[in-house]
Amino acid sequence: MTFVTIDNLEKTFPLPNGEEYIALKGIDLTIQKGEFISLIGHSGCGKSTLLNMVAGLDLPTEGLVMLQGEQILRPGPDRMVVFQNYSLLPWLSVRENIALAVNNVMSGLPAAERSAIVEEHIDMVGLRAAADKNPDQLSGGMRQRVAIARALATKPKLLLLDEPFGALDALTRGGLQEQLMRICDENHVTAIMVTHDVDEALLLSDRIVMLTNGPESKIGQIMTVDIPRPRKRMEAINHPHYYSYRSEIIYFLNQQKQIKKIRARKQTVVARHGLEKINLDIGFVPLTACAPIAIAKEKGFFAHHGLEEVNLVRESSWRGVQDGIADRYLDAALMPSGMPIWMTVGGMNDKPIPVVSALTISRNGNAITIDKRFADQGIRTLADLKRFLLSSPDRKHIFGVVHPASSHNLLLRYWLASEGIDPQHDVEILTLPPAQMIAGLKKGTIDGYSIGEPWATRAAVDNIGYEIATDLDIWNGHPGKVLGVREDWALAYPNTHVALVKALLEACQFCADPANQDEVREILAQPEYLAMDHDYIYLSDSQQIACNVTKNPRDISHPLFFADGANRPSRTEHLWLLTQMARWGDVPFPRNWVEILERVAKVGVFSTAARELGLATSTTYNRQEINLFDGIKFTADDPIDYLNHFAIKHDIYMAEIDLSGKN
Amino acid sequence: MANVTRRSKIHKPKQSGIKLSKKQKALLDDILTPVVTILILLVIWEILSAIGGQSLPGPTKVVREAGKLIFYPFFNNGGTDVGLGLQVWASLQRVAIGYSLAAVVGISLGIVVGLNERVRKGLDPVFNILRTVPPLAWVPIAIAALKQNQPSALFVIFITAIWPILINTAVGVRQIPQDYNNVAQVLRLSKTEYFFKILFPSALPYIFTGLRIAIGLAWLAIIAAEIVMTGVTGIGFFIWNSYQNGYTSEIIVALVYIGLVGWGLDLLMVWVQGKLLPYSKPQ
């Protein structure tokens, strides 16, 4: 049975001008006995209001809050609250403050027993020496300990904490968090805590409820913190999931801040030069493969094709790009090659959002990097790695990837599975923002990662890891990054779409010219792009860098930006990516895959753009098969048969994907 | 001889005066500064009275003419012819009674007003009108209503002292921090427990502010009341009587007494507050 139920709760406050402010709307949450829940969100998102309604200090306008099936209508000692400002009575000593609660709530017990409970809780929070002092004589941390003791002494069913450590210095806060955690573990306390401290929430909670910004705040996301208990701060921080949890929450909070800004921004469409829209927000993630986008802006290719007001939006993770396209605050974006079809078939929360791609921006440029300590074990090949994994079954090795739909993830899984390593069970694959990979590898919270340049080179130069394989070894010439726009955007702005493809295709050509290499590297090194020394960024031969871990490093895989036929969107390639996503159960395989591929790969737009640029040869259609390193060929003839042939795979689901655009 | 030379070496020249610790020096400074200031003011007063003719006596003349009052505060010749100490004592007794009444009524009424919004709304204008009426203006009403001097004097003290107590108490009750009320609600404290554990202690600092203002006003009021009421022992009547008889020096001595007692009362209140309220303000 659920312990606490919050059902379709809404809270409005009257405004001085007679209108109403809707603080919370449509809040549904159930809490199990013994769970520790954190409510996190920006100031004013209504998290304290929600807590007050569970406490009964405030009543919901609509919906209800129930504790063990009983509606909460007023405050009571079964739901003790620890307030941010302690709320101790300054005229009573520590002992008297706790006794006031105990004597009132447990008036049925004999006096001696009550006083024993008071003394027990004074000891529990370590305040024996201060028992007869008044709150004025105590430090902030000690006062909060009294408040916690007062709350726990009455054995409440539910403990409610309102930013309990918000006013304390970092050191005191840390100590108290551990103390609270120990007390909660020992007494199996069910608790709800309001906080704005991400680390505090991660350390203490079983689940973290993230609230969106007001007005009409709702639950944006609920994250289960799967770190084993009892927890210790240092152990929790070093837990392999810690940083992915943390970045998830921080991403959510940043997103909420941006939404505020985006809501405030005026959405206008500027049409000019026969183009429907020349003011574009284009998203990218800082990687070497973003070079054509940077060059198109810096060298004026956008402007040359009439796109005079292009604004590049730098996202720190692909998740940001994905949300930007879904929420329409990005017009177009650099995407991992699998993202358009992944979003189209409903990879994002099972809601199909048709996204199209008319240009492949880069190929190759990815590598699988592993921790340098594997070098000492003599691991050089996939077979070595498998042997090593089999010999250490007690420890799960963790690999980082940047997005479920990225070719890094799909190639890594394919590569592992080809040797009989099941990527679902024998290793763990985590989604992390690119910039966090290096930090994770250094700290040892991940064992390796599959990612695009410059991160493989960086691990080698910084002497923390080495490349065990590059995409040249797995599928030479696979699509790396593509241009993606929403299908409805492409239909609304067809001429702009062609102009955008033309500008980027020219930029791709520019980047691929060896004569421009140093200029491109310098531009990429700028703070608005990669913000990193250009010694980490290479577009071709990089003899000057040497991997310190292994004496004879592999050839670095450099992104290929332009070649005959390289930039044309290929249905076969998108189909292969789709089969791999379905293989690992990430998305269902669509029965209407033929229709979906027709819609995703916008070959027509590319052909028009290439023809107008005088690059007619690139448009020629030749259906080709894909040759992977293990010798298994892929043709677009029978993808289901192809999928069925894999020995290692997830259950494969089939579905008809509805692309009617209702989403 | 060796012994002699050594002894003469040890013998250091004496430091001037007694050694004082830093604290003692500060204390001495705190006492000496006002004493010297007062002495200077007395000298100026003496000079001014010498220059300005004989309309007001200088300090030396005051001591000469009213020495008996200064040096024998407790003589008793019967009737109203008693020493200033006894005069002050008689006035203080009246203040004690009137002030106590004001405190009891003021605090009780203040709590009622603070708790009940409707009562507050209804009485607020009444309080604001009455509290600005000067003590002296109450005297004729009091005498007309009560006929006798003694109860009239008590009434004037009462009516003057009650307003600051009442108003401050009401504010204190209304300003109980929401946190404390939340605690009371969560613990479901009973009404009596809420009153004694939360409401009263929380309002106490405000009540004391009112009490301290009120004691000053009560002391002002007694002088005003006694001046008008003839034939009672009391410092106020003493001043009036001396004025009628042209004993300016006696008036001056009485004024000094009044000031010292007023100051003493204020210090007393501060001391009591410090004893009863180890916590100063609500957190």
Side-chain angles (χ1 to χ4, degrees), chain B residues 37-71 248-254 256:
Chain B
T37 311
I38 290 170
L39 283 176
I40 292 170
L41 288 175
L42 286 174
V43 170
I44 294 173
W45 175 16
E46 184 70 38
I47 294 168
L48 283 178
S49 65
I51 296 168
Q54 293 301 309
S55 58
L56 275 177
T60 46
K61 196 176 173 198
V62 168
V63 175
R64 218 170 36 243
E65 286 184 356
K68 185 183 166 198
L69 288 174
I70 297 169
F71 300 115
T248 317
S249 293
E250 290 187 359
I251 298 176
I252 290 170
V253 173
V256 173

Side-chain angles (χ1 to χ4, degrees), chain A residues 57 74-77 79-81 83 85 87-92 100-101 104-105 134-136 143 150, chain B residues 179-183 185-190 193 196-199 201-203 278-283:
Chain A
L57 290 166
R74 65 176 188 133
R79 286 155 281 126
M80 281 297 283
V81 189
F83 298 96
N85 45 10
S87 294
L88 299 175
L89 305 178
W91 45 87
L92 300 181
L100 178 69
N104 258 280
V105 177
N134 275 16
D136 278 5
R143 286 183 209 175
R150 177 176 66 182
Chain B
D179 299 332
Y180 301 162
N181 285 331
N182 283 345
V183 170
Q185 278 187 287
V186 170
L187 293 177
R188 294 200 183 149
L189 294 186
S190 66
E193 213 152 7
F196 287 110
K197 289 280 163 67
I198 309 262
L199 185 143
S202 173
Y279 56 97
S280 48
K281 277 266 157 194
Q283 279 179 334

Side-chain angles (χ1 to χ4, degrees), chain A residues 408-608:
Chain A
H408 321 101
N409 176 37
L410 302 173
L411 288 178
L412 172 68
R413 285 171 185 265
Y414 189 94
W415 179 71
L416 290 170
S418 73
E419 189 66 30
I421 304 170
D422 188 339
Q424 306 167 96
H425 304 296
D426 298 337
V427 294
E428 192 170 348
I429 295 177
L430 275 183
T431 303
L432 291 172
Q436 226 157 62
M437 300 285 186
I438 288 277
L441 201 59
K442 262 188 199 156
K443 292 191 65 163
T445 55
I446 58 173
D447 300 283
Y449 53 71
S450 171
I451 193 178
E453 288 294 346
W455 299 104
T457 304
R458 191 144 176 199
V461 173
D462 290 353
N463 194 24
I464 54 173
Y466 64 102
E467 292 175 12
I468 187 168
T470 70
D471 48 14
L472 304 176
D473 307 320
I474 304 170
W475 171 8
N476 188 357
H478 74 89
K481 302 288 173 288
V482 298
L483 172 71
V485 300
R486 286 182 71 114
E487 188 183 49
D488 49 13
W489 185 94
L491 293 172
Y493 311 116
N495 290 312
T496 300
H497 196 192
V498 173
L500 181 61
V501 171
K502 280 163 80 177
L504 286 171
L505 191 53
E506 271 195 345
C508 283
Q509 199 174 10
F510 182 92
C511 292
D513 186 344
N516 300 326
Q517 225 186 90
D518 287 333
E519 188 181 359
V520 175
R521 283 173 62 204
E522 287 304 327
I523 288 173
L524 282 180
Q526 288 172 15
E528 59 267 46
Y529 302 109
L530 270 63
M532 130 180 356
D533 197 294
H534 66 259
D535 282 343
Y536 291 119
I537 306 164
Y538 295 95
L539 298 177
S540 71
D541 182 53
S542 45
Q543 283 307 315
Q544 55 268 64
I545 63 139
C547 178
N548 303 318
V549 179
T550 53
K551 294 290 166 265
N552 47 346
R554 294 176 172 277
D555 289 340
I556 298 262
S557 172
H558 295 291
L560 171 72
F561 291 116
F562 186 83
D564 192 19
N567 302 92
R568 193 177 61 82
S570 157
R571 293 190 184 113
T572 314
E573 287 166 0
H574 282 292
L575 180 60
W576 184 83
L577 294 163
L578 181 58
T579 62
Q580 296 305 306
M581 292 175 217
R583 179 180 176 185
W584 306 116
D586 192 23
V587 295
F589 191 83
R591 291 199 185 91
N592 50 338
W593 59 272
V594 177
E595 179 210 351
I596 286 175
L597 284 171
E598 283 290 322
R599 285 173 72 165
V600 169
K602 282 278 170 253
V603 184
V605 173
F606 173 80
S607 301
T608 309

